[in-house]
Amino acid sequence: VAVWQLLSSQAETRLAALGARDALRLEAGLCLYGHDLDEETTPNEAGLSWVIGKSRRDPSAKNQFIGSEKVLAQLADKKLYTRLRAGLMPSAGPPAREGAIIETMDGEVVGKVTSGTMSPCLKKNISMGYINKPHNKQGTELQVVTRGKKYPAKVTKMPFVATKYYKP
């Protein structure tokens, strides 16, 4: 309570809600469990294989983890997973939100948006989703179906905004 009173008494302090947090984490290309990550998504599909420590990558390791058989097999053979998390930048229309379908320009469904918003830093709509290979390549022209209409979008590099994390 004392910390809140101190902070709230400062003229520079402004409240920020989950929408602000969500926009900033999406600009940084970070995942949110329940949206961009779930029990069906592997670290390899999400582009997070770096979180698997070297000691855990050995199939004969003493400390196996839940799903290690599948995850380690995918690390050894990238053909075992067919979709990857990628950034999308729609060039028109409203933000492509969670659940929006991602299609090729010919109408073939190749993925689904997991997060999307208007980027306060870029002043553009940005989205993240899982896109089937090989359509996940940077620069690929796709379209997103938002509110029943199709809008052009381009697969783009993440993070959308360069990060400046403090690294001691």
Side-chain angles (χ1 to χ4, degrees), residues 68-83:
S68 62
E69 188 175 306
K70 181 177 183 177
V71 171
L72 295 177
Q74 287 180 344
L75 278 172
D77 184 2
K78 294 183 184 340
K79 292 178 185 167
L80 294 178
Y81 55 99
T82 58
R83 65 182 190 144

Side-chain angles (χ1 to χ4, degrees), residues 108-122:
E108 176 190 354
V109 175
V110 293
K112 187 181 275 190
V113 171
T114 55
S115 291
T117 192
M118 202 293 241
S119 166
C121 292
L122 300 174

Side-chain angles (χ1 to χ4, degrees), residues 15-22:
L15 296 175
L18 291 176
R21 183 236 29 207
D22 200 45

Side-chain angles (χ1 to χ4, degrees), residues 33-78:
Y33 188 80
H35 299 267
D36 311 302
L37 298 173
D38 58 29
E39 292 181 359
E40 303 300 316
T41 303
T42 66
N44 306 309
E45 293 171 318
L48 299 172
S49 55
W50 59 269
V51 302
I52 305 165
K54 289 181 182 180
S55 63
R56 296 239 166 157
R57 290 176 182 240
D58 182 359
S60 63
K62 180 179 170 184
N63 297 324
Q64 294 294 308
F65 54 92
I66 296 171
S68 62
E69 188 175 306
K70 181 177 183 177
V71 171
L72 295 177
Q74 287 180 344
L75 278 172
D77 184 2
K78 294 183 184 340

